[in-house]
Amino acid sequence: MAERKNSTRTGRTRRPAKRPVRRRRSKKSGHPLLFWLIFMIAVAGAAYMTDRMTNEPGGQPIQNVTAIHHLFNDKEEQGVVPSEDAGSPESLKERIKAAVKKITKDKGNDDTETETSITGSVMSAITGKKASESESSTKKESVSKETSSEDISSSSDSFSKSSTSSKTVKAESKAPAPAPARKEPSPSTVTGRLAVVIDDAGRDLASQEVYESIGVPFTLAVMPNQVHTREAAASWAAHGMPVILHQPMESVSGSGMEAKTILTSMSDSEIRRMLSDSLSQVPEAVGINNHQGSKATTDKRVMDDVMNELHHRGLFFLDSATNSYTEADGAAAEYGVPYARNDLFVDNSSDVSAIKAMIRKAAERAKEHGTYIIIGHCRPHTAEAFRQMVPQLEAEGIKFIYVSSLMN
């Protein structure tokens, strides 16, 4: 008791000595090279299994790798699908002329010589010709237009202007003349059937008139929201030939797309609303095909929305085949929409001889397979190639048919 009291008084207590604590050393992780070796083996194994799944003979593409697979099959990226242009030289001249008129109007100058000078400068910058050459050609066109104003039609060169009058000469609308009668091959002499679809109509009416004058069954695919959308569809239908809607859809690359395009990011209601708006511009349409669309046609939800709308309207779907893989065929079958798929684009080149060679290739395949579907475009060089080739192919027994007759 005495000791405890003494310790309380002094404030000191005796505590047992602490044992030294030994810290555990952290185990070193494996060698970094071993980690990367395992990672590379895993990647190689995944690539091998993906290749086996997607290239199995007679097998269907695996849904789980579709998102990756279609990136490597984008025909737009590979250049198999023709690159889209801004229109024909005729439509380009119209735009240049409109721009020149706006400039001269803004400056408050109605002088014809000033307008001609500006036009010559613009054309020289585009064509690479000297300004004097551009001016002389413009003056020649002006004189020609002045002397033959009575014969001007909607396909005339709209770049010409009368040097003595500032009034715009409007082409009189004439009823389209019926296509010249052609002697079609008899059933016994038919060697193959070729279905031709002309895309991108609504931009170049002059090229369309060439197709209309050929006098064989072609199907015209008219783009919505173009300067000549309504004129193109009405003129073709007046010739008794079928019109379809050339609906812009999202591509994998995303480049060169139209301002109003069906995107995979859109909701179901937005997709159907845009398609409905496009069809309202082409009421003559008996079906549609996709403009670009290498990404949209591989999206099951988007294709379901499109086919649902087509089912209610009684329209068919032509797959332009801008991607080697598609969800359009399955969706069409599910909704009971007539479906067909393009076999070949014939105008990847703008050279007439090259386009003729592709048309010849298509004809030979039509002879081999019985039927064949091809797509060309509403462009001057393509129209000229068909104008030259059609009589030759008909003489060989090729029968031109509407693509609607090949719908499944």
Side-chain angles (χ1 to χ4, degrees), residues 16-334:
K18 293 184 178 179
R19 294 181 181 180
V21 179
R22 295 181 181 180
R23 295 182 179 179
R24 294 184 179 181
R25 295 182 181 179
S26 58
K27 294 183 179 180
K28 293 184 178 180
S29 58
H31 199 280
L33 291 179
L34 181 61
F35 168 79
W36 286 110
L37 178 62
I38 295 173
F39 176 78
M40 293 302 296
I41 292 174
V43 171
Y48 174 77
M49 292 304 297
T50 301
D51 181 72
R52 288 295 301 272
M53 288 188 294
T54 56
N55 294 284
E56 182 181 356
Q60 294 294 327
I62 305 302
Q63 298 296 327
N64 294 339
V65 297
T66 297
I68 299 175
H69 181 70
H70 76 78
L71 291 174
F72 298 95
N73 289 279
D74 181 17
K75 295 185 178 180
E76 294 164 358
E77 285 286 282
Q78 298 170 5
V80 179
V81 180
S83 58
E84 305 300 334
D85 60 6
S88 67
E90 288 75 16
S91 60
L92 180 60
K93 288 179 181 179
E94 287 184 16
R95 296 178 185 179
I96 294 173
K97 183 180 176 183
V100 171
K101 276 189 174 182
K102 187 177 185 302
I103 293 171
T104 55
K105 184 177 181 181
D106 292 343
K107 290 183 177 181
N109 188 355
D110 295 329
D111 187 10
T112 305
E113 293 182 1
T114 303
E115 182 177 342
T116 304
S117 175
I118 296 174
T119 303
S121 301
V122 174
M123 288 304 296
S124 64
I126 296 174
T127 62
K129 295 181 180 179
K130 295 180 180 179
S132 58
E133 295 179 4
S134 300
E135 289 177 9
S136 62
S137 62
T138 305
K139 290 180 180 179
K140 288 180 181 179
E141 291 178 359
S142 298
V143 173
S144 173
K145 187 170 183 180
E146 180 184 0
T147 57
S148 60
S149 59
E150 295 179 358
D151 298 328
I152 293 178
S153 64
S154 59
S155 63
S156 309
D157 189 353
S158 60
F159 187 60
S160 304
K161 180 176 180 178
S162 173
S163 59
T164 59
S165 174
S166 61
K167 295 181 180 180
T168 305
V169 180
K170 294 183 179 180
E172 297 181 359
S173 58
K174 298 180 180 179
R182 306 183 71 91
K183 185 179 180 181
E184 295 186 2
S186 61
S188 59
T189 60
V190 172
T191 57
R193 291 174 170 79
L194 199 59
V196 180
V197 178
I198 306 300
D199 276 359
D200 290 0
R203 292 174 169 175
D204 182 4
L205 292 178
S207 294
Q208 180 175 325
E209 288 184 359
V210 175
Y211 287 115
E212 291 172 346
S213 68
I214 294 175
V216 295
F218 286 167
T219 301
L220 191 71
V222 181
M223 290 190 67
N225 308 304
Q226 302 297 311
V227 177
H228 302 298
T229 293
R230 285 300 310 126
E231 298 166 81
S235 177
W236 196 264
H239 281 79
M241 294 187 288
V243 174
I244 63 176
L245 171 69
H246 193 40
Q247 175 61 48
M249 297 185 184
E250 186 177 1
S251 64
V252 171
S253 63
S255 61
M257 295 195 302
E258 297 293 312
K260 293 185 177 180
T261 298
I262 290 179
L263 304 173
T264 56
S265 59
M266 289 179 170
S267 65
D268 296 344
S269 59
E270 288 175 328
I271 292 172
R272 297 187 64 169
R273 191 182 306 117
M274 179 168 288
L275 181 56
S276 179
D277 177 67
S278 297
L279 286 168
S280 69
Q281 300 176 44
V282 190
E284 299 87 351
V286 295
I288 80 168
N289 72 330
N290 53 292
H291 172 78
Q292 299 185 328
S294 56
K295 184 175 182 179
T297 53
T298 63
D299 190 296
K300 181 64 165 60
R301 182 186 65 86
V302 173
M303 287 297 99
D304 281 345
D305 290 337
V306 170
M307 298 307 170
N308 191 356
E309 187 70 19
L310 298 184
H311 166 73
H312 290 294
R313 293 174 180 265
L315 305 178
F316 66 74
F317 185 82
L318 171 65
D319 194 333
S320 298
T322 55
N323 196 318
S324 59
Y325 174 73
T326 184
E327 287 283 355
D329 53 355
E334 184 177 345

Side-chain angles (χ1 to χ4, degrees), residues 192-196 341-344 358 361-367 369-374 401 406:
R193 291 174 170 79
L194 199 59
V196 180
R341 185 173 171 85
N342 171 46
D343 292 311
L344 182 70
M358 292 299 289
K361 181 179 180 180
E364 295 304 319
R365 291 184 177 179
K367 294 176 183 178
H369 302 292
T371 60
Y372 211 64
I373 300 174
I374 62 175
I401 60 175
L406 299 180

